[in-house]
Amino acid sequence: QVQVVESGGGSVQAGGSLRLSCVVSGFTHNHYCMGWFRQAPGKEHEAVAAVDMDSRQAYGDSMEGRFTISRDTTKNTLFLQMNNLRANDTAMYFCAADHCFSAFGFLRLPRTNGFWGRGTQVTVSS
């Protein structure tokens, strides 16, 4: 059984930084993508970034630059470094994992597919 567990959320002032972590267990191989998605109250589910099994990265619209995704395949762990946070980055951030063809394609993963964590809340105050 695949399990996905996020950590690292919290409250920070605008301009600050946070680092999210996600641990995936239960896959019998590492041929899967991992990614970060977010959803703010009243807004649609949004792709933040994804990485494939060879650490090739893809970012959602307007995400690259302040956000950096990385993956430690030896520990089945995914990270999201978030810098210069803004109030509109406030959201629940979810980690997901699933088989994929590319990191770019994984950005389109619907909530009904793949394996998802319960989310970690990020709150940015202005």
Side-chain angles (χ1 to χ4, degrees):
Q1 181 178 357
V2 176
Q3 293 188 325
V4 180
V5 180
E6 306 97 335
S7 62
S11 297
V12 64
Q13 289 192 332
S17 298
L18 282 174
R19 189 187 195 213
L20 306 183
S21 299
C22 169
V23 178
V24 174
S25 61
F27 275 103
T28 58
H29 54 77
N30 67 346
H31 292 170
Y32 56 91
C33 286
M34 299 176 72
W36 291 100
F37 300 80
R38 69 184 186 183
Q39 188 161 22
K43 295 188 177 181
E44 293 185 355
H45 170 85
E46 184 176 30
V48 177
V51 60
D52 70 10
M53 64 288 292
D54 294 318
S55 295
R56 287 181 287 252
Q57 303 167 358
Y59 290 87
D61 293 342
S62 303
M63 298 297 177
E64 193 167 12
R66 295 186 301 119
F67 294 175
T68 303
I69 192 170
S70 60
R71 176 175 179 173
D72 184 343
T73 56
T74 64
K75 299 180 181 179
N76 298 328
T77 303
L78 183 71
F79 303 98
L80 184 69
Q81 178 66 41
M82 305 186 294
N83 298 326
N84 192 22
L85 284 161
R86 304 166 181 166
N88 60 7
D89 292 319
T90 295
M92 185 72 79
Y93 284 70
F94 297 91
C95 178
D98 201 6
H99 304 288
C100 68
F101 291 107
S102 71
F104 182 78
F106 195 75
L107 294 177
R108 295 190 292 271
L109 183 74
R111 272 304 249 127
T112 52
N113 290 9
F115 302 93
W116 293 78
R118 294 186 176 184
T120 184
Q121 178 67 39
V122 171
T123 302
V124 184
S125 57
S126 56

